[in-house]
Amino acid sequence: MYRTIEERLQALEKQIARQDFQIQLLQNLAANHQKYAIYQYVISTNMDEHTFYLLQQLTKDYEEKLNLGESFTLHEFITAVKKVLLREGIYLTNVELSDFVPKWLGGTLGSIGFSLPLHDYFYEKE
């Protein structure tokens, strides 16, 4: 699996960084229990900080498109999210993505996510 000690050390450093990020999420969760569902999902997928911030940026980009009056579909957004996750080595099924996206955006029953306007744009039409 690892050819050199350096490769093993690099893998361990990445694992430690990922766990450090997840501990930060848990600390944030203690301060903001309303984001429980999304933080729990981030931790369960073993997402690292880089991927988390890529998804936040993607969300901001789509929110900006919405503010500019551009139209797009939920399917297009999910495809973009899936592309980011795949590029970062996280493989979610379509069912898992369908569960993740509403939680990421804003959840249901007024829970706090990262873009309530996008959540409403996609899910209030239904």
Side-chain angles (χ1 to χ4, degrees):
M1 186 166 179
Y2 301 106
R3 288 184 244 154
T4 65
I5 292 173
E6 288 83 19
E7 287 177 345
R8 176 72 176 142
L9 287 173
Q10 288 174 345
L12 287 171
E13 287 173 353
K14 285 182 180 179
Q15 183 66 22
I16 289 169
R18 184 175 290 119
Q19 289 174 347
D20 181 55
F21 171 65
Q22 292 173 356
I23 288 170
Q24 290 174 22
L25 286 179
L26 289 172
Q27 290 170 337
N28 289 341
L29 177 60
N32 184 356
H33 69 279
Q34 293 173 316
K35 286 195 176 183
Y36 173 80
I38 189 60
Y39 287 158
Q40 181 63 27
Y41 212 89
V42 167
I43 291 168
S44 72
T45 60
N46 207 21
M47 189 181 296
D48 64 13
E49 187 172 10
H50 177 72
T51 307
F52 184 81
Y53 290 117
L54 284 175
L55 288 176
Q56 279 191 323
Q57 185 59 50
L58 176 71
T59 304
K60 287 178 186 174
D61 293 346
Y62 268 82
E63 195 171 87
E64 188 174 314
K65 287 181 181 183
L66 180 64
N67 291 337
L68 294 173
E70 295 181 37
S71 83
F72 45 86
T73 66
L74 177 59
H75 177 74
E76 291 169 334
F77 182 74
I78 289 175
T79 299
V81 168
K82 187 174 187 175
K83 185 186 265 186
V84 168
L85 294 175
L86 287 174
R87 198 171 53 234
E88 298 300 314
I90 298 174
Y91 305 97
L92 298 181
T93 66
N94 289 336
V95 171
E96 290 170 324
L97 279 168
S98 295
D99 185 45
F100 173 72
V101 169
K103 289 177 184 172
W104 177 264
L105 293 176
T108 56
L109 302 175
S111 68
I112 298 172
F114 294 104
S115 178
L116 192 54
L118 281 178
H119 181 273
D120 291 346
Y121 175 75
F122 292 133
Y123 296 103
E124 295 298 317
K125 293 179 186 177
E126 297 175 351

